[in-house]
Amino acid sequence: MMQVLTRPPSGFPALVLNADFRPLSYFPLSLWPWEEVVKAVWQDRVDVVATYDKIVRSPSLEMQLPSVVCLKSYVDQDRSPAFTRFNVFLRDGFACQYCGEPGTAQDLTFDHVIPRSRGGRTTWQNIVAACGPCNLRKGGRTPGQAQMPLRRTAHQPSAWQLQQAGRRFPPHFLHQSWLDYLYWDIELEP
């Protein structure tokens, strides 16, 4: 049974796939709010792959809300990822690089491997995720001076590496229509 919405819908995002039918990103999952999706459909920038059982209407248009859309033009995924807190935490698996304790984006901090007071810069190669207690314990020293070895060397990840890391952190909500397009390239169980 199709449900016609009389108020603006909320909570109906669409999964956005690249032209090769892979998600644009895994974490955060490439989702667009319904308003952006309807606009993209109207502008003929996407193809509708799957829909919700919800209809939206305007004075001149009636459409089922898309739940999965595919871009008509391929977006190159080989560009370098942006240097952001989130991407650093994703690269480091949302875990402290000193003690290994997992954390959230709210729990973790940036740590300069070579402290800024010693000329350390804020770059991919000098920033790691750290929990508050380890960051405090290390202070203005290098990991060697603090006797706190890094679990992984700080480095600039590729977009592909961040995509792979993102697969380990599934979103809290997955609509049934999205499942055929997520994780389809992982090895199946026998």
Side-chain angles (χ1 to χ4, degrees):
M1 174 96 176
M2 202 67 59
Q3 181 181 359
V4 177
L5 299 170
T6 56
R7 301 183 309 237
S10 63
F12 293 96
L15 175 66
V16 182
L17 306 175
N18 210 338
D20 65 356
F21 282 80
R22 293 180 186 216
L24 285 176
S25 68
Y26 283 93
F27 194 80
L29 193 59
S30 50
L31 301 178
W32 286 355
W34 72 271
E35 298 94 340
E36 290 295 318
V37 175
V38 169
K39 181 179 171 183
V41 169
W42 181 258
Q43 293 173 337
D44 200 32
R45 293 186 298 136
V46 296
D47 288 321
V48 177
V49 178
T51 59
Y52 290 108
D53 290 334
K54 309 282 185 220
I55 293 177
V56 290
R57 289 191 173 123
S58 75
S60 61
L61 177 73
E62 175 179 298
M63 83 177 330
Q64 267 186 278
L65 276 179
S67 62
V68 180
V69 294
C70 180
L71 298 177
K72 289 192 173 190
S73 299
Y74 184 77
V75 175
D76 186 17
Q77 299 291 316
D78 291 334
R79 64 190 185 279
S80 295
F83 179 64
T84 64
R85 293 178 73 81
F86 185 84
N87 283 345
V88 168
F89 297 156
L90 184 58
R91 176 201 69 189
D92 293 346
F94 286 91
C96 175
Q97 293 306 291
Y98 297 108
C99 69
E101 283 297 310
T104 65
Q106 291 78 29
D107 302 331
L108 295 170
T109 63
F110 264 7
D111 181 60
H112 288 78
V113 177
I114 298 172
R116 287 190 294 180
S117 62
R118 296 173 184 242
R121 299 184 52 208
T122 305
T123 64
W124 280 110
Q125 294 76 15
N126 194 47
I127 295 289
V128 294
C131 66
C134 284
N135 200 342
L136 209 63
R137 190 173 129 221
K138 179 179 165 281
R141 300 175 291 175
T142 65
Q145 292 169 327
Q147 296 183 350
M148 297 173 67
L150 285 169
R151 293 180 172 273
R152 273 187 259 162
T153 304
H155 67 283
Q156 180 173 352
S158 66
W160 183 85
Q161 288 170 322
L162 286 183
Q163 289 281 10
Q164 293 301 103
R167 292 174 182 217
R168 296 191 320 248
F169 303 98
H172 298 296
F173 170 78
L174 292 174
H175 188 264
Q176 187 66 31
S177 65
W178 303 350
L179 298 180
D180 287 338
Y181 304 98
L182 298 176
Y183 316 117
W184 61 270
D185 55 350
I186 60 173
E187 190 175 327
L188 298 174
E189 294 179 18

